[in-house]
Amino acid sequence: MKTLTLLRHAKSGWDDPVARDFDRPLNAKGKRAAAMVGRHMRSLGLAFDHAIASPAVRVSETLEQIESGYGRTIAPTLDRRVYLASAATLLDVVHGFPAEAESALLIGHNPGLEDLVLMLVEDGADPLRDAVEDKYPTASIAELQFEGDWADITSATARLTRFIRPRDLDPTLGPDAD
């Protein structure tokens, strides 16, 4: 059984004057949310033997905050293909994970992450999938499980086992709070 955890970067600061979207940093709410999600990941005992991340500034800053709450260094491989990638590109990245990896973490952006979950989990009576389809907020994690090898993953072959949004952990981190 393979486990893939998808982490969307935390809330970034649109008010910061940056020349490129790639350079946009987190805002204060995003930093709080990422640290809280990291603490929750630690409380669940989540562990990863492979990690890939977008090299965007907001992803790097999300990882710093996640690690501060998680209490461990994740040290992902940075892969430019993950930056603003489509679900198909993200699936190509997953197909390239080492066969010996059992639990992998992919840190990136929407709409690619949300679309990947919707592609890999069969549409049906799954309230977790419905929640992802409704909205995949910043700093949220989705955990999917698969039978077989990374290279063999195709549409509608995953089971969504967790979907954790920052507002599930602290209501002040929801969309109506700053």
Side-chain angles (χ1 to χ4, degrees), residues 10-11 26-36 61 65-66 68:
K11 191 163 186 60
L26 296 186
N27 65 20
K29 183 177 176 181
K31 290 177 182 178
R32 280 193 349 259
M36 174 156 295
E61 290 184 359
Q65 297 302 314
I66 289 283
S68 75

Side-chain angles (χ1 to χ4, degrees), residues 11-175:
K11 191 163 186 60
S12 56
W14 285 94
D15 296 334
D16 286 315
V18 294
R20 303 180 310 159
D21 172 75
F22 185 90
D23 298 322
R24 216 165 5 98
L26 296 186
N27 65 20
K29 183 177 176 181
K31 290 177 182 178
R32 280 193 349 259
M36 174 156 295
V37 169
R39 287 190 296 276
H40 191 67
M41 289 167 57
R42 180 180 59 213
S43 76
L44 293 172
L46 299 184
F48 311 101
D49 50 21
H50 188 68
I52 299 281
S54 161
V57 168
R58 59 191 177 274
V59 171
S60 298
E61 290 184 359
T62 296
L63 275 165
E64 289 172 17
Q65 297 302 314
I66 289 283
E67 289 173 344
S68 75
Y70 186 52
R72 300 181 189 180
T73 301
I74 295 171
T77 300
L78 301 181
D79 187 332
R80 283 194 74 78
R81 294 177 298 164
V82 177
Y83 176 65
L84 302 181
S86 67
T89 299
L90 293 173
L91 186 56
D92 285 344
V93 170
V94 170
H95 284 159
F97 287 177
E100 64 275 4
E102 295 296 323
S103 183
L105 176 64
L106 178 62
I107 310 107
H109 311 266
N110 249 11
L113 291 176
E114 178 178 329
D115 292 344
L116 183 61
V117 172
L118 299 178
M119 173 197 298
L120 296 177
V121 179
E122 186 174 8
D123 194 2
D126 183 342
L128 286 180
R129 187 188 187 281
D130 294 344
V132 169
E133 190 168 16
D134 183 46
K135 184 170 183 172
Y136 196 129
T138 52
S140 294
I141 57 174
E143 181 184 86
L144 299 99
Q145 292 188 332
F146 307 88
E147 297 288 338
D149 293 322
W150 298 112
D152 301 329
I153 295 170
T154 60
S155 296
T157 58
R159 195 168 52 103
L160 183 59
T161 55
R162 294 184 218 272
F163 181 54
I164 302 161
R165 302 164 297 193
R167 70 174 174 234
D168 298 331
L169 307 174
D170 179 349
T172 68
L173 295 171

